[in-house]
Amino acid sequence: MNKLAKESSPYLLQHANNPVDWYPWCDEAFEKAKKENKPIFLSIGYSTCHWCHVMAHESFEDETVAEILNKNFICIKVDREERPDIDNIYMLACQIITGRGGWPLSIFMTADKKPFFAGTYFPKFSYAGRIGFVDLLNNVIKFWESKKDELLRSSDEITRYLNLEIATDSNESLQEEIFNKTFTSLKNNFDEEYGGFGTSPKFPSPHNLIFLMNYYLHYKNNEALKMVIKTLEEMRKGGIYDQIGFGFHRYSTDEKWLVPHFEKMLYDQAMMIDAYTLAYKITQDNFYKEVVYEIYSYLNIEMLSPEGAYYSAIDADSDGEEGKFYLWKSKELEEIIPDKYETIRKIFNVSDEGNFLNEATKKLTGKNILYLKNRLLDVLKEESLTYEEYEQIRKKLLNFRSKRIPPLKDDKILTDWNSLLISSFVKAYIVFEDDMFLKSAINCYDFIMENLFIDNKLFHVWKDNRSYTNGFVDDYAFLINASLELYKATLDENYLLNSINFDNVLYNEFWDNEKGGYFFTSKNDDNIVRTKILFDGAIPSGNSVQLLNLIKLYHYTGNPFYSELINKQLKAFSKQVNSATLGYTYFLNSFLILNEETGELLIISKNEIEKNIISQLSRQEKLFSILITNENKEKIYEIAQWTKNYKLLNDKVTYYLCKNYTCKQPANDFNEILKDLF
């Protein structure tokens, strides 16, 4: 056992038995590197990463490779999900050095944390023009011994470039034309045949779809909505969606959404719930609603912890093979459901030769990824099968599959990903008016408040009954957003008060007083550079979500401090967004709100407001409402001083509605207010 044996991360523990003398990221490792005058080999990955497993089996479990590493390097392992701050820095370094990135991330650096060489996966031995890991190690050793000064100069130069890449510029502004520019870019990249954007690999990118739906709502552009509908339908039908157990795999390796990278990530489920919920809200098509309920079912069966929060991910591999858990042979299906085999073969497009290729030989394996050619209900109609009959078959297959060796479950709980899910659940509750979504959201939120927010400080990870790793900007921004969504759905002022408290901590610890925007790490960060991220990758950036939070907080409180931060946030990132719109669609979602009609509704009542009224108000996307009762009046006065001058009229519940900075006459009748809403 090496030094990873005492860690909590499932990814690090996977490597605790390696012959490599791994260290976690710690002062001891860097001090040892300085003392022994050795370079550092830093390996970054995550527990459900297929190629991380491959490199581990080929190299890190190999005694010969381990001997080279242990003799000549100090070796450090990092879980990118546990330490995204470290991953952000060295992934950017890899992109600067090689022009690309990915995981596993392989970094060679000095004892003062400055990188001089980077790459991703390396096979053990060189072949076909690709350098092998053994040859690479020997080359680095040779350079370290004979040309160390060159490597040190290179590491200084790369670090200088890192600082240049992270710098923000405040000389430009965003104009409304940016929305049309972004729409055109998405349109030009849209796959008319299969949906989605680009060719392969193809990622779900739900924030792009959410932008298009908001663009449709704002500009009434039907083409934007058609792109969304095509994409959401093709993904649900494809192999990227688990047809038997539900939930989305990470991404599709082909343009047809057929062959997935099989891991399942919590954040993907959260963002897809967002996209399908909004699609249902716009179209009222039950197809989208059913997908939301299926993902919810999957999450609560497979990823829900006993404490009420959700685990991080499910691995792609099982029994040493990627996707083995999810693949089917035709004979296997025939044995399980002989009476309905022909029907199920047609529904899921099963063949004897299969549609899944061997990764090395690229030959068909006889195994099938199940997928649909049309919507499920349409397929069942073609096969004269009722939905109830189909469900019996699906559950029989699910039960059979559950007896296979399952993929590893990464059971750490992350604040940012769970906060994303809370917001998605609340939106589903508002749209579908189903209390189970709200109950799940509140349970998850309560877990975070009890276990991850300690002494007015947020932590990023909970594992083995302890919280650790100081929270990052994503943790705070996503939790603020979750709090605001819960407030909107319940009008419980405690959620609003929490959001303001979180925002104060975020501002004090993360805000860039010089150039605006939020750093990824707090002011106590000791990494070689302090990153500031806007790019929306697999999930929206904290800065994108925080722009939306600031807009909401300004409308709730009327505090000009939030308005100032909004303007500084826009100025800090405008040049970046103007130069490459496709990477910032969630930021533009937030910016779009500033171009919308907005309103505030102040409700004064001696008693609690009826649930049906709260429900109707929560569905008003452009309305920001504040509730005052005798019990919480002072708390609301403290954060929204503009409410102090408003009184009850006729000793009845009173509604004060303002739209676009113009106030209507107060009313006692809620139906009057409804007429004036958006």
Side-chain angles (χ1 to χ4, degrees):
M1 300 289 280
N2 56 45
K3 295 173 182 65
L4 301 182
K6 296 180 180 179
E7 295 299 304
S8 296
S9 159
Y11 176 64
L12 299 187
L13 291 172
Q14 286 174 0
H15 296 270
N17 286 311
N18 290 170
V20 177
D21 186 19
W22 292 114
Y23 285 79
W25 184 275
C26 61
D27 292 339
E28 181 186 356
F30 295 104
E31 289 167 4
K32 186 175 175 66
K34 286 180 182 177
K35 184 178 179 180
E36 298 183 6
N37 189 29
K38 290 181 178 179
I40 288 171
F41 171 62
L42 170 66
S43 176
I44 303 176
Y46 56 103
S47 67
T48 58
C49 165
H50 171 66
W51 286 103
C52 298
H53 298 328
V54 174
M55 190 166 178
H57 295 322
E58 289 179 346
S59 295
F60 303 147
E61 295 172 7
D62 183 86
E63 295 284 351
T64 304
V65 175
E67 185 178 354
I68 299 172
L69 284 168
N70 294 341
K71 181 180 177 181
N72 300 281
F73 299 86
I74 301 301
C75 301
I76 297 176
K77 260 287 177 193
V78 167
D79 181 344
R80 67 171 289 263
E81 295 167 0
E82 200 172 70
R83 293 299 303 267
D85 56 326
I86 297 169
D87 180 61
N88 288 336
I89 293 169
Y90 295 103
M91 182 59 71
L92 181 56
C94 183
Q95 290 166 345
I96 289 171
I97 294 168
T98 69
R100 61 188 181 87
W103 299 277
L105 181 59
S106 303
I107 302 289
F108 294 89
M109 63 185 191
T110 66
D112 53 3
K113 305 177 183 177
K114 295 179 180 179
F116 58 81
F117 187 77
T120 54
Y121 162 77
F122 294 99
K124 182 180 176 181
F125 297 114
S126 300
Y127 74 95
R130 185 185 184 105
I131 190 168
F133 192 54
V134 171
D135 288 339
L136 176 62
L137 292 177
N138 288 325
N139 287 345
V140 173
I141 293 165
K142 189 185 302 181
F143 265 83
W144 187 262
E145 292 173 347
S146 62
K147 299 181 180 180
K148 183 180 176 183
D149 288 344
E150 289 184 28
L151 291 182
L152 294 179
R153 282 196 297 273
S154 177
S155 70
D156 288 338
E157 188 70 5
I158 292 166
T159 303
R160 187 178 72 83
Y161 272 106
L162 282 172
N163 281 290
L164 290 173
E165 286 288 326
I166 289 161
T168 48
D169 194 298
S170 58
N171 296 324
E172 294 187 15
S173 61
L174 283 177
Q175 305 297 328
E176 188 175 359
E177 180 57 30
I178 193 70
F179 302 126
N180 294 326
K181 181 181 176 182
T182 304
F183 166 73
T184 301
S185 296
L186 288 168
K187 179 182 174 183
N188 291 339
N189 280 277
F190 182 66
D191 183 340
E192 296 278 355
E193 185 173 3
Y194 299 110
F197 305 94
T199 54
S200 62
K202 193 177 278 184
F203 290 81
S205 302
H207 37 284
N208 288 341
L209 303 176
I210 292 167
F211 169 81
L212 286 171
M213 285 186 275
N214 286 327
Y215 182 85
Y216 161 77
L217 291 170
H218 187 83
Y219 292 104
K220 308 304 178 189
N221 185 308
N222 288 321
E223 198 169 3
L225 184 59
K226 287 178 181 177
M227 286 193 281
V228 173
I229 288 172
K230 176 67 173 176
T231 303
L232 291 178
E233 289 200 10
E234 292 299 323
M235 284 195 296
R236 169 59 183 87
K237 294 187 302 184
I240 192 175
Y241 191 76
D242 182 354
Q243 302 293 337
I244 300 300
F246 305 142
F248 281 91
H249 297 295
R250 180 68 194 90
Y251 63 87
S252 177
T253 62
D254 65 334
E255 74 278 6
K256 300 178 182 179
W257 305 110
L258 173 61
V259 184
H261 216 0
F262 285 93
E263 67 263 42
K264 291 182 179 179
M265 312 302 292
L266 182 65
Y267 57 75
D268 281 324
Q269 315 312 319
M271 294 299 296
M272 296 309 287
I273 287 175
D274 254 11
Y276 280 91
T277 297
L278 184 54
Y280 173 81
K281 183 176 181 180
I282 292 170
T283 66
Q284 294 296 298
D285 187 335
N286 280 327
F287 170 78
Y288 305 106
K289 179 179 180 180
E290 288 160 5
V291 178
V292 173
Y293 274 77
E294 287 173 355
I295 299 172
Y296 178 83
S297 170
Y298 163 72
L299 287 170
N300 284 278
I301 292 171
E302 294 294 337
M303 301 188 79
L304 178 63
S305 74
E307 296 83 7
Y310 291 82
Y311 298 134
S312 297
I314 306 290
D315 203 344
D317 296 16
S318 56
D319 201 22
E321 294 182 30
E322 184 186 10
K324 184 176 182 180
F325 184 76
Y326 301 100
L327 300 172
W328 300 86
K329 291 185 176 180
S330 59
K331 285 188 176 180
E332 188 177 39
L333 291 171
E334 189 173 10
E335 289 172 3
I336 300 168
I337 42 171
D339 56 325
K340 293 289 184 180
Y341 168 68
E342 283 301 319
T343 300
I344 212 68
R345 186 179 63 81
K346 292 177 184 176
I347 290 175
F348 289 126
N349 303 286
V350 173
S351 64
D352 291 342
E353 63 272 18
N355 56 22
F356 185 70
L357 299 175
N358 179 280
E359 197 167 53
T361 65
K362 303 302 179 185
K363 293 182 178 179
L364 291 172
T365 60
K367 296 179 180 180
N368 291 271
I369 303 165
L370 307 186
Y371 72 99
L372 305 172
K373 287 185 178 177
N374 295 302
R375 286 187 176 191
L376 177 61
L377 292 181
D378 293 336
V379 172
L380 296 183
K381 189 175 181 180
E382 291 172 9
E383 299 301 322
S384 302
L385 198 69
T386 67
Y387 182 76
E388 290 72 24
E389 290 173 325
Y390 167 78
E391 272 295 281
Q392 289 179 2
I393 293 170
R394 184 189 69 82
K395 289 177 180 177
K396 188 177 289 187
L397 294 177
L398 185 63
N399 181 60
F400 180 88
R401 194 177 77 175
S402 69
K403 297 172 184 175
R404 296 173 176 172
I405 296 174
L408 173 78
K409 186 174 297 181
D410 188 328
D411 61 352
K412 66 178 178 289
I413 290 169
L414 300 177
T415 298
D416 52 352
W417 297 1
N418 274 270
S419 297
L420 269 182
L421 188 62
I422 292 167
S423 297
S424 299
F425 279 166
V426 176
K427 291 172 188 174
Y429 161 72
I430 289 170
V431 170
F432 304 124
E433 299 184 67
D434 191 331
D435 287 345
M436 74 176 187
F437 291 109
L438 183 61
K439 182 179 178 182
S440 294
I442 291 174
N443 287 343
C444 190
Y445 186 89
D446 289 346
F447 173 87
I448 292 174
M449 293 301 296
E450 183 178 343
N451 296 282
L452 286 150
F453 189 63
I454 302 167
D455 295 331
N456 213 38
K457 178 180 177 180
L458 195 58
F459 288 87
H460 177 61
V461 188
W462 188 88
K463 178 79 167 60
D464 297 337
N465 292 310
R466 69 184 185 95
S467 301
Y468 57 96
T469 305
N470 293 338
F472 304 108
V473 65
D474 290 2
D475 297 301
Y476 282 93
F478 295 176
L479 187 57
I480 292 167
N481 187 254
S483 301
L484 290 170
E485 290 293 344
L486 281 166
Y487 175 70
K488 178 181 179 181
T490 65
L491 292 184
D492 180 339
E493 76 282 355
N494 288 307
Y495 294 121
L496 181 57
L497 295 169
N498 285 346
S499 69
I500 291 171
N501 183 39
F502 298 144
D503 186 78
N504 289 338
V505 177
L506 180 60
Y507 174 77
N508 291 328
E509 295 290 326
F510 293 79
W511 179 255
D512 182 351
N513 288 308
E514 184 181 348
K515 295 185 176 179
Y518 296 85
F519 290 109
F520 190 79
T521 52
S522 74
K523 58 189 178 184
N524 297 317
D525 175 39
D526 63 351
N527 289 317
I528 57 168
V529 292
R530 200 172 171 204
T531 57
K532 192 191 295 179
I533 298 169
L534 185 69
F535 184 82
D536 298 320
I539 58 176
S541 72
N543 274 293
S544 294
V545 174
Q546 184 58 9
L547 176 60
L548 178 60
N549 294 337
L550 292 171
I551 294 168
K552 291 180 178 180
L553 288 171
Y554 173 62
H555 280 279
Y556 280 129
T557 66
N559 189 337
F561 170 73
Y562 295 116
S563 180
E564 292 171 13
L565 291 185
I566 291 167
N567 290 328
K568 290 177 180 177
Q569 184 84 331
L570 290 170
K571 286 182 179 179
F573 296 114
S574 291
K575 183 177 181 179
Q576 208 170 330
V577 176
N578 283 328
S579 65
T581 56
L582 284 187
Y584 311 105
T585 50
Y586 205 93
F587 188 82
L588 292 174
N589 273 323
S590 303
F591 181 52
L592 188 60
I593 291 177
L594 290 174
N595 292 269
E596 291 274 10
E597 290 184 289
T598 56
E600 301 81 34
L601 178 64
L602 178 63
I603 309 171
I604 304 177
S605 176
K606 291 181 177 180
N607 305 304
E608 289 190 7
I609 301 301
E610 296 175 19
K611 184 178 178 181
N612 72 305
I613 291 177
I614 296 175
S615 177
Q616 291 183 73
L617 292 176
S618 68
R619 291 198 294 274
Q620 300 295 321
E621 287 294 327
K622 302 174 186 177
L623 181 66
F624 299 91
S625 59
I626 290 179
L627 167 67
I628 290 186
T629 67
N630 287 345
E631 288 74 28
N632 64 29
K633 188 185 302 183
E634 293 303 322
K635 294 179 182 178
I636 296 296
Y637 283 172
E638 187 178 335
I639 62 170
Q641 296 183 9
W642 65 272
T643 63
K644 285 186 177 180
N645 298 322
Y646 292 82
K647 308 293 181 185
L648 278 173
L649 294 180
N650 306 316
D651 202 36
K652 298 178 182 178
V653 60
T654 307
Y655 303 93
Y656 291 89
L657 175 64
C658 298
K659 288 173 62 177
N660 299 314
Y661 310 100
T662 303
C663 296
K664 307 287 184 181
Q665 285 287 336
N668 295 123
D669 186 354
F670 180 66
N671 290 322
E672 287 184 38
I673 293 297
L674 276 179
K675 295 175 185 175
D676 282 330
L677 290 177
F678 299 94

